[in-house]
Amino acid sequence: MMQGEGSPSASLIDRTIKMRKETEARKVVLAWGLLNVSVAGMIYTEMTGKLISSYYNLTYWPLWYIELALASLFSLNALFDFWRYFKYTVAPTSLVVSPGQQTLLGLKTTVVQTTPSHDLAVPQIPPSPPSPSIQGQSVLSYSPSRSPSTSPKFTTSCMTGYSPQLQGLSSGGSGSYSPGVTYSPVTGYNKINYNLKCGSPDSTSPSTSPTFWNYSRSVGDYAQTLKKFQYQLACRSQAPSANKDEADLSSKQAAEEVWARVTMNRQLLDHMDSWTAKFRNWINETILVPLVQEIESVSTQMRRMGCPELQIGEASITSLKQAALVKAPLIPTLNTIVQYLDLTPNQEYLFERIKELSQGGCMSSFRWNRGGDFKGRKWDTDLPTDSAIIMHVFCTYLDSRLPPHPKYPDGKTFTSQHFVQTPNKPDVTNENVFCIYQSAVNPPHYELIYQRHVYNLPKGRNNMFHTLLMFLYIIKTKESGMLGRVNLGLSGVNILWIFGE
């Protein structure tokens, strides 16, 4: 970068400071030089015109010598100032920096020598290979035919989400929509811990239509929010645990044993943190964020239609179901929204909690064995856990992706076939049973049933995510990416991209 004693960074800063001082000094000496020239010129004019001696009737010869001395002094000061200005201009302090360093230090092009970044002694990181498209389908529509798009490159530092742009939903017309969807990368997700406080744009961005189902975010939209959020590791429990390392090791070994029954490639487990991060982002950006925005849009339409008593989050689920039948021609998306909210009678808590989970890009407020505090009240078991909420919206989303089945007229095709919740139990003896089994509610615990085998991953905060990942991984590797007649790959639901090539 530059030659000098000490570290290159310290030398760069010192010379930058020196260069800034020279720039300021050049302006000052030029001003002083012009001032000295002006004063010397005024005194010279007085010497030739004899104005003061004539006005005050003074003897001229002593005054002339005084004026001569002053004129000489100011002239010498002016010459010295102009010489300093000439020195700063002709031979300024120079730096060799990259364009990025020039911008960071706030330097002008006239005082620096910029070089391409590859000429500087900076370690280069080879570009990562492109990953499959992360394009997903709209949460309120089923559209099997979509054009693929290029995908972002996820880093191991932090993945706080990608930004979907959903288009194509109008307020009227039929109930069949085919939104075009594109995604743009934003940031990454820290591999160390999933409960990072990641920043993302507020979910209440202004809409362009009454039923706002198309939104677009750029990296610039994240600037203000990133100023408010800082990446921090999740708080550790203060309770002492003498056997914590042993417990973590045994949990990891138990997970490896379960995964070994699915794949013999143990190296894939090294990507588990990355898979989980991408999966959390996929749920957030594909389901939660669009769902919250559509709910708010529908609530606005309800108020405009003179039905303030049917605000989502305030009205009962029964009232919303009835309104979905009556107002289907006017608000066709209401029936689909109701499916996502049909989890608990406490609609106010459910909607507020979904909004909280949708903020932060990677569900930073997610608590696997409980929920959030609400109106000053601590969470209790009469409310659903965050795991229950995420599992419900995930199943509901896939219900809308799978085609209707005559055996399930309620439209819950995926939930009825692939999700079983205690006290019900799956038929493990049936080879065709492929389902996620919630064997415990509080705290929640999930198992996977596939081809008469029970895959029981370790308990804890990642149990649900890892069970769902195993479910999707089996579909990718053993079912050719097909869930029944629906492709979960690029040409279908497009969720299998999280596993990479």
Side-chain angles (χ1 to χ4, degrees):
M1 183 179 297
M2 55 189 296
Q3 301 295 330
E5 298 180 357
S7 65
S9 59
S11 180
L12 176 63
I13 294 174
D14 293 339
R15 298 195 63 171
T16 302
I17 295 174
K18 180 181 178 182
M19 196 161 57
R20 286 184 175 275
K21 289 181 179 179
E22 288 182 358
T23 302
E24 295 299 326
R26 186 173 62 172
K27 298 177 182 178
V28 174
V29 297
L30 177 61
W32 276 110
L34 294 175
L35 179 62
N36 286 324
V37 166
S38 300
V39 175
M42 293 172 60
I43 295 175
Y44 178 76
T45 302
E46 161 58 25
M47 291 174 63
T48 56
K50 304 178 182 179
L51 298 177
I52 295 179
S53 60
S54 301
Y55 186 81
Y56 290 101
N57 195 20
L58 299 175
T59 303
Y60 179 68
W61 68 268
L63 181 63
W64 187 86
Y65 283 109
I66 295 174
E67 291 176 341
L68 177 62
L70 293 175
S72 301
L73 176 63
F74 284 109
S75 298
L76 290 174
N77 285 338
L79 289 174
F80 179 70
D81 291 334
F82 286 131
W83 175 80
R84 291 175 62 191
Y85 178 80
F86 179 78
K87 174 185 175 183
Y88 290 144
T89 304
V90 175
T93 301
S94 62
L95 291 176
V96 180
V97 297
S98 67
Q101 290 173 327
Q102 177 184 343
T103 303
L104 182 63
L105 296 173
L107 303 176
K108 296 182 179 180
T109 56
T110 56
V111 293
V112 298
Q113 177 183 353
T114 58
T115 62
S117 59
H118 64 268
D119 293 337
L120 302 176
V122 178
Q124 299 296 317
I125 302 176
S128 58
S131 59
S133 171
I134 60 172
Q135 171 183 335
Q137 294 182 345
S138 168
V139 82
L140 295 185
S141 66
Y142 174 71
S143 177
S145 58
R146 305 175 346 275
S147 59
S149 64
T150 58
S151 64
K153 299 174 181 178
F154 288 90
T155 64
T156 57
S157 58
C158 182
M159 285 179 275
T160 56
Y162 42 84
S163 175
Q165 301 174 354
L166 306 177
Q167 300 175 348
L169 181 64
S170 60
S171 58
S174 64
S176 176
Y177 311 95
S178 300
V181 189
T182 58
Y183 289 85
S184 59
V186 181
T187 53
Y189 184 87
N190 197 313
K191 190 175 180 181
I192 299 176
N193 196 303
Y194 303 130
N195 291 327
L196 293 176
K197 298 190 177 185
C198 302
S200 76
D202 297 335
S203 60
T204 56
S205 59
S207 62
T208 57
S209 63
T211 53
F212 179 52
W213 203 238
N214 58 332
Y215 58 95
S216 175
R217 303 188 199 131
S218 64
V219 176
D221 297 330
Y222 286 75
Q224 296 299 323
T225 308
L226 288 175
K227 293 179 181 178
K228 299 185 294 181
F229 292 90
Q230 293 181 350
Y231 293 95
Q232 301 175 358
L233 292 177
C235 298
R236 295 177 180 270
S237 173
Q238 299 300 320
S241 176
N243 300 321
K244 183 178 184 303
D245 293 338
E246 290 80 357
D248 291 344
L249 181 60
S250 62
S251 177
K252 181 179 180 180
Q253 291 175 345
E256 289 181 349
E257 292 177 1
V258 177
W259 276 93
R261 297 161 58 189
V262 176
T263 175
M264 297 305 296
N265 188 355
R266 291 182 178 269
Q267 291 183 349
L268 290 178
L269 299 183
D270 296 336
H271 304 290
M272 188 59 64
D273 289 347
S274 175
W275 291 352
T276 306
K278 294 176 183 178
F279 186 44
R280 288 168 68 120
N281 278 281
W282 182 87
I283 293 175
N284 182 74
E285 296 297 337
T286 306
I287 305 177
L288 297 182
V289 172
L291 177 61
V292 169
Q293 296 210 356
E294 186 63 17
I295 287 176
E296 292 174 344
S297 175
V298 168
S299 294
T300 301
Q301 293 181 70
M302 286 292 190
R303 290 194 297 271
R304 292 174 178 173
M305 294 170 58
C307 303
E309 72 282 359
L310 293 177
Q311 292 294 289
I312 298 176
E314 299 176 5
S316 66
I317 189 66
T318 304
S319 300
L320 292 176
K321 288 181 178 179
Q322 294 176 350
L325 295 175
V326 175
K327 302 182 181 298
L330 299 176
I331 311 179
T333 60
L334 180 57
N335 183 60
T336 304
I337 289 176
V338 168
Q339 304 301 320
Y340 286 92
L341 301 177
D342 192 8
L343 177 63
T344 174
N346 197 327
Q347 290 290 291
E348 187 175 12
Y349 170 81
L350 178 59
F351 177 49
E352 290 299 323
R353 191 56 184 164
I354 290 176
K355 282 204 299 185
E356 291 176 6
L357 291 172
S358 70
Q359 298 170 358
C362 54
M363 295 188 290
S364 57
S365 60
F366 177 83
R367 300 176 181 179
W368 73 276
N369 58 350
R370 56 164 296 177
D373 299 337
F374 184 63
K375 291 186 174 181
R377 173 197 169 192
K378 294 291 185 180
W379 181 89
D380 204 352
T381 54
D382 63 311
L383 298 174
T385 62
D386 286 350
S387 293
I389 294 176
I390 297 303
M391 179 62 74
H392 174 72
V393 299
F394 176 79
C395 291
T396 304
Y397 177 83
L398 290 183
D399 284 337
S400 64
R401 304 280 75 79
L402 270 62
H405 195 286
K407 289 180 60 177
Y408 315 109
D410 58 357
K412 298 182 178 181
T413 307
F414 175 84
T415 303
S416 300
Q417 290 181 308
H418 303 286
F419 181 68
V420 178
Q421 186 177 20
T422 186
N424 299 325
K425 293 185 179 181
D427 184 5
V428 183
T429 62
N430 188 346
E431 187 177 3
N432 295 323
V433 171
F434 181 29
C435 70
I436 301 155
Y437 172 45
Q438 184 174 2
S439 57
V441 177
N442 284 308
H445 183 73
Y446 300 87
E447 303 171 10
L448 184 64
I449 314 299
Y450 179 64
Q451 292 184 347
R452 299 177 181 173
H453 290 89
V454 178
Y455 298 91
N456 192 355
L457 289 164
K459 299 179 181 179
R461 62 187 180 91
N462 285 320
N463 169 262
M464 180 191 69
F465 291 115
H466 288 181
T467 302
L468 287 174
L469 284 170
M470 180 174 284
F471 175 80
L472 296 172
Y473 186 81
I474 289 176
I475 293 176
K476 175 182 173 67
T477 58
K478 299 183 181 299
E479 301 293 331
S480 303
M482 300 296 294
L483 180 62
R485 292 181 294 166
V486 175
N487 189 344
L488 299 191
L490 181 63
S491 61
V493 176
N494 194 18
I495 186 178
L496 301 182
W497 60 268
I498 60 180
F499 299 109
E501 295 296 337

